[in-house]
Amino acid sequence: MIRIILYWIDTHRWFITAILSCVVLANVPTPEGLSENGMDVIAILVMSTIILITAQVPLPTVPLLIAVFQVLLDVNTPKGVSQSFMSDSVFFIMGSLMLAVAIVHQKLDRRIAYWILHFAKGSITRLSTGFILVCAIMASFIGGLTVAAIMLPVAITIVINIDENQKNIRNITLMLMFSIAYGCAIASIGTPSGGARNAVMIDYWSRLYDIKISYFEWIKYAYPMVLIQIPVVAFLLRITFKPEKINIGNALDKLRESVKAEGKMNYADWLTVSIFLFILFLWVTSSDTLGLGIPAFIGVSAYLAFGLISWEEINRGVNWGVVLLYGSAISLGIAMQNTGAASWIANALLSGFTSLHLGGGLLLMVIMAVITMLVANIMSNGPAVAVLGPIFLEVAVLSDMSVILVGFIIAMASSFTYMTVIGSPANTIVYGSNFIKPKDFFKAGWKMSIASIIILTLISATYWQFLQ
Amino acid sequence: MKLLLCIAGGETSRDTIVAGGKIAAAFNTDLSVLYVGEKHATHMTSAVNLSRMKLSEWKIELPGVKVLEYAEMVLHDLNLLEVDDTGEIVEVHSLKPDINGAYELHAMGKHGQNIRLRLREGEIIDEVIKEVDVGGYDVTIIGASKERRLVQRLIQFVECSLFITKNIQDIDYRFLFAVDETEMSRKALLLGARTAHFLKAEATLLTVVSNDSDIKSGEENLSKAESILQRAGIKYDKKVMVGDPTEIIIEEAGEDHIVVMGSSKSSQLSKFFKATKAVKVVQDGNCPVLIAK
């Protein structure tokens, strides 16, 4: 018996630490300027962060505990907590995840493979660029998770066709794998549907600051960043993983003929694309009236009604824990705002920055971008926005910066997850191929991180000022 | 007897697979080869599953399957697996998911033994513990970790005897039996003697006492142990030494002995907080160690 107890303690030591931290913090004297409930919310935030980083219990435990502790610590009522968990953004996240599963289940990948091989014309650089282009364009609308899942088998098949022994073409392999991972990463901020964290940011603006950003407005701010980064990724991957000098033309031609022989797009493929384009149309033209979640639900209903996917397949493919996680993130964000916890932390951060002569303006934005990027690499992009969003938005208010611009900075920097496996679902999928080692992420990742921070700084100092 | 052989990869684990395969062949026993793939964060599970669905559509094997295929090839080369008239390996079933929490390929051994190739995903120690719980193994063969905490967890929480293949080489090992008065030491002797007998190895009986006045009791321990080795027909020499047991065992073992010792008699709580002799020998020594439980 004692062995079982000790084993549980051993395998849950960080979870126990997290719960104890929450209980202790909720009971220590409250610092000056912070309300008691504010301290309670900080205690919940600390607990959630420890559990998210250490992952000793299934992640959906975090949203459940956020709800439980808000009620136990008297931060909110059961009714208030449940209401704060649900919003249009959560509908949108739910709908987008279901759409992603529906799209992955179609056979579009063969056609996409054909287009990329056609575009490559036997050149490894063009092949890599083709992957980046396709990933970037698709992932900006349907999310990196979906696109990475679709594109990984295509890349592996190409690699195997070029040479069965990966040791002979290690750099080519890495170049293609990272074309997918980084293509998806840079694209995920292009539109609100590119990543669930974008929807969280839209919700923070709307529910904390009463600022409405439509689907199209988001694109106006964010898409240029996607387009600028496409050639940057292609260039940096080319110089980091110098491809082996071998002739890949024959292998690509052979593969192209093989995927071509498997047929053109069929009725189901066309219907899938048409339904998605219709949803996109609704998002762009009617998000003011329909919101973002309802068009996604229309799309999912259509996929189900036309038999393009079954409910069982959706149920298997959607991680409902992720939906809960984002719901809880929004709920915690609202609690941080309502109790003054966000404002207190923001004040403390700001006085810290000021004492280091870093307060205010562009430099502060860059610092927030770098912190978001580092946290996103450690705890993955979604939770990073959830934890840092309410605090940095409050920093913006206190230092007279634009809440919209700072919100975009956080959302964009959270996509700079180039250095770790767990930074984004696309990284995890590509890493799961067993072709990449964790240290490979750093080889190109640090260069991409610097380049992306520079591009973001330039865009926020020029183009975004013009939009304001 | 049922053996569990844990491997960390394909070619990198060749020596471990060969060692495990030889022991399984010598004992003519059931053997499961376990490979533990990377753990995915819970919120990435659906993404990974979707990716695997697409990979299977393109007829690309699951990551990890290649490792099992390599292990199967090595066991085949050791002439451990039954083959049909065409030279194909006889399989009870091909790779299937969800067999006691793992992907499993079940092949037949030359003498009707069950040879299972199993793929789990998660933290290595946790998965080995789960595997031992569902498989009812007698001995787990596993490589050594550089982290003391992992070694300590493995020795404390895996509920069967352990053969830790640290610095395993393709040489004729001698067995070094570290003997004391405990019941676990006697169990270790029995298990080690059987192994040494099957592998036709020679042995050294070693007992370490803390001071000169204890030499006599040390010799008594050795004489009990001798009868076991004699019955097993193993050639041996014997030593009684004074000093720190861990240091002496490590020094005597060098790189060409397999150390055989019992697990500690300390309480679970004590083992949880303090490294036992077995942990120290595995951690600081540079040879394989067989720990009986």
Side-chain angles (χ1 to χ4, degrees), chain B residues 218-238:
Chain B
E219 284 171 345
E220 280 169 19
N221 289 336
L222 281 189
S223 66
K224 285 178 201 162
E226 279 182 81
S227 60
I228 294 172
L229 293 196
Q230 282 162 2
R231 277 204 302 275
I234 297 167
K235 278 187 188 172
Y236 65 92
D237 56 17
K238 55 181 182 177

Side-chain angles (χ1 to χ4, degrees), chain A residues 3 6-7 10-11 13 55 58-59 104-107 109-110 149 153 157 317 319 380 422 425 429 431-432, chain B residues 38-40 42-44 46-47 50-51 53-55 57-58 60 63 126 129 149 153 157 159 268-269 272:
Chain A
R3 177 188 160 271
L6 288 172
Y7 180 63
D10 187 58
T11 48
R13 59 196 182 284
L59 241 61
V104 170
H105 271 79
Q106 312 311 315
K107 309 278 187 227
D109 29 350
R110 306 272 165 182
T157 308
N319 190 338
S380 107
I422 61 150
I429 287 176
Y431 174 69
Chain B
E38 290 266 351
K39 178 188 177 186
H40 303 289
T42 337
H43 64 301
M44 301 288 186
S46 301
L50 281 178
S51 157
M53 187 195 79
K54 294 311 279 185
L55 288 171
E57 282 178 16
W58 283 73
I60 297 168
D126 293 342
I129 290 167
R149 237 195 105 259
R153 287 183 67 202
F157 295 125
E159 278 208 314
Q268 289 285 346
L269 207 57
F272 188 70

Side-chain angles (χ1 to χ4, degrees), chain B residues 54-69:
Chain B
K54 294 311 279 185
L55 288 171
S56 69
E57 282 178 16
W58 283 73
K59 297 186 174 51
I60 297 168
E61 284 168 341
L62 275 177
V65 172
K66 273 199 164 58
V67 176
L68 295 189
E69 283 175 350

Side-chain angles (χ1 to χ4, degrees), chain A residues 241-254:
Chain A
F241 305 111
K242 292 186 181 73
E244 291 81 5
K245 287 191 175 109
I246 56 167
N247 179 13
I248 62 165
N250 290 342
L252 296 193
D253 287 345
K254 207 172 118 194

